[in-house]
Amino acid sequence: MSADTKQNTITIDGQEIPFLAGQTIMDAALAAGVYIPHLCHRQGLTPHGSCKLCVVDADNRSVSACTMPAVAGQRISNNTPALNEVRKTITQMLFIEGNHICPSCEKCGDCTLQAMAYHLGMLDGHFPQFFQRRKVDASHPTIMLDRDRCILCELCVRASREVDGKNVFAIAGRGINAHLIVNSASGKLVDSDLETSDMAAHICPVGAILIKEHGYEVPIGQRTFDLHQVSEIGLEKTILTKARQPDE
Amino acid sequence: MSKIRIATTSLAGCFGCHMSFLDMDERLVALLEHVEFNRSPFTDIKHCGPCDIGLIEGGVCNADNVHVLREFRDNCKILIAVGACAINGGVPAMRNHFSLRECLEEAYVNGVGVENPQIPNDVELPLLLDKVHPIHDVVRVDYYLPGCPPSADEFLKILGDLLAGKEPSLPNNLLHYD
């Protein structure tokens, strides 16, 4: 191998992967069809680094693949039992912190968090449940906000700010009190510019932002993750299209 | 060979997990060649004797649930949390959004069509706990069988593994929380 090609590759689990200058480990991996588990990352939006599911070992340091730039010659471990165990623990923490009662959730079967838990073989929450009391915002005529299920991934915050140009959402509060707020004077969704056609209204990977009167429309067996694995590359497009046109 | 003894109970459950257990249909006949039931809604045995496996459906919502759960833990070598309720409180845990007083007043005092409104207080009745809890908040749990309810295939898989002396595991296609 020439020195030139070697400068532009990283190694993930022994597989050599090319990258362009400026790409993160996640960008390079996804472009090469290598799955690194993630919840808060979405191609086209600024990386966030909150979910920590994409933790990988790069040259024996734990880093977030979504924010860490790819550097020529980097040797990365990704799909290892130890890392997947860490990821399972993180997923369990997300489940016990919120009120994730899948049997009564409209997003069940279409939820990336749930699919991630399946992918990692999660059988229980392991930790004591927080049972937090969080506010529902049903003020908007067509969109509702159930904070019980919010994982603070900020996908809606970023989609609204960077794609829709409306800046509807933000995260407020510190530590365990951090929660999703609406940037309107009243703090209510109804007083924001959010519309059903906005990316921010559809991008939620869990059941926190829901389009009203569109629950339970897809038969069991035909929901996104009945048909797909969360580890399929490029699934985001399928999910987003399906969220916009649930009948198709 | 003596049969494996299984005890089952429903705490703050809906009996759906038990129904799902029975969904194994004629496969129950083959299973019963290897297992016998101790205390269970399927039998008339009032208290749990020494058992190999205890299957617990439902979360813990009142004082009686705590006593029953401890009896099962004391007598069962292997205790399995069956279904969403036993694992994380499930749908009944949605009452944790409200105070116990609010719940009782809504049902027995302010509810539609309530006559002679009063919160039941006979000593025969087990007191409700402040919150609904998963069973692992009260006792140690050996295995978890997710689902609301878990399918008959899941029951067969986990029992099959245990009968064969193997560590139970669920293949990905049987894993679901709904």
Side-chain angles (χ1 to χ4, degrees), chain A residues 141-161:
Chain A
T142 56
I143 303 162
M144 69 172 281
L145 194 57
D146 186 343
R147 293 184 175 90
D148 273 352
R149 304 158 180 172
C150 177
I151 57 169
L152 306 178
C153 66
E154 282 205 8
L155 279 171
C156 59
V157 176
R158 286 173 283 156
S160 188
R161 188 190 297 149

Side-chain angles (χ1 to χ4, degrees), chain B residues 62-136:
Chain B
N62 64 31
D64 183 58
N65 292 159
V66 177
H67 294 307
V68 172
L69 181 55
R70 287 187 173 148
E71 178 185 295
F72 269 70
R73 180 69 271 183
D74 288 344
N75 284 284
C76 301
K77 286 182 203 156
I78 294 170
L79 204 65
I80 306 178
V82 175
C85 298
I87 291 172
N88 68 9
V91 173
M94 291 172 93
R95 87 147 148 97
N96 296 352
H97 272 288
F98 307 94
S99 72
L100 183 56
R101 174 165 295 279
E102 283 175 293
C103 295
L104 288 169
E105 285 180 349
E106 178 66 24
Y108 293 108
V109 180
N110 305 320
V112 177
V114 171
E115 284 178 33
N116 183 19
Q118 55 178 309
I119 293 172
N121 66 351
D122 194 290
V123 289
E124 287 268 320
L125 299 172
L127 288 173
L128 291 174
L129 304 182
D130 187 36
K131 276 183 159 56
V132 176
H133 295 269
I135 67 168
H136 74 79

Side-chain angles (χ1 to χ4, degrees), chain A residues 29 32 37 50 63 67 88 113 167:
Chain A
S50 65
V63 298
T67 53
K88 186 166 90 178
L113 176 68
N167 200 19

Side-chain angles (χ1 to χ4, degrees), chain A residues 129-148:
Chain A
Q129 291 278 337
F130 277 36
F131 290 128
Q132 296 202 75
R133 294 185 189 179
R134 293 170 169 173
K135 284 202 180 86
V136 167
D137 183 345
S139 60
H140 195 282
T142 56
I143 303 162
M144 69 172 281
L145 194 57
D146 186 343
R147 293 184 175 90
D148 273 352

Side-chain angles (χ1 to χ4, degrees), chain A residues 13-230:
Chain A
D13 292 336
Q15 185 186 341
E16 208 152 312
I17 284 168
F19 70 93
L20 304 170
Q23 275 190 321
T24 59
I25 296 171
M26 179 70 83
D27 293 334
L30 289 177
V34 171
Y35 177 68
I36 300 176
H38 58 275
L39 288 171
C40 73
H41 178 76
R42 188 68 60 95
Q43 221 142 17
L45 297 178
T46 310
H48 190 233
S50 65
C51 79
K52 299 298 284 179
L53 262 292
C54 71
V55 61
V56 293
D57 284 339
D59 296 325
N60 296 320
R61 277 178 63 211
S62 288
V63 298
S64 299
C66 70
T67 53
M68 187 70 172
V71 179
Q74 236 167 5
R75 301 181 69 82
I76 294 157
S77 302
N78 167 40
N79 190 18
T80 68
L83 281 170
N84 285 332
E85 196 59 32
V86 167
R87 290 165 180 153
K88 186 166 90 178
T89 304
I90 293 169
T91 309
Q92 287 171 322
M93 289 161 78
L94 289 171
F95 267 83
I96 61 102
E97 188 198 314
N99 296 305
H100 294 280
I101 302 175
C102 300
S104 72
C105 180
E106 302 88 333
K107 207 63 183 278
C108 195
D110 290 312
C111 168
T112 312
L113 176 68
Q114 186 190 54
M116 182 65 69
Y118 293 162
H119 174 73
L120 298 167
M122 184 185 111
L123 296 178
D124 70 307
H126 182 79
F127 303 103
Q129 291 278 337
F130 277 36
F131 290 128
Q132 296 202 75
R133 294 185 189 179
R134 293 170 169 173
K135 284 202 180 86
V136 167
D137 183 345
S139 60
H140 195 282
T142 56
I143 303 162
M144 69 172 281
L145 194 57
D146 186 343
R147 293 184 175 90
D148 273 352
R149 304 158 180 172
C150 177
I151 57 169
L152 306 178
C153 66
E154 282 205 8
L155 279 171
C156 59
V157 176
R158 286 173 283 156
S160 188
R161 188 190 297 149
E162 297 170 16
V163 179
D164 307 330
K166 293 185 179 177
N167 200 19
V168 168
F169 295 107
I171 305 290
R174 289 172 183 274
I176 192 61
N177 297 317
H179 61 287
L180 186 64
I181 58 161
V182 178
N183 289 327
S184 61
S186 64
K188 293 285 183 197
L189 215 47
V190 69
D191 296 320
S192 74
D193 302 331
L194 189 68
E195 289 173 278
T196 316
S197 55
D198 292 350
M199 190 188 209
H202 295 280
I203 200 167
C204 183
V206 293
I209 300 175
L210 296 165
I211 307 298
K212 284 186 177 178
E213 294 174 24
H214 283 282
Y216 305 113
E217 287 179 327
V218 183
I220 288 174
Q222 290 171 37
R223 300 168 303 181
T224 308
F225 295 107
D226 294 335
L227 303 169
H228 300 278
Q229 295 291 313
V230 73

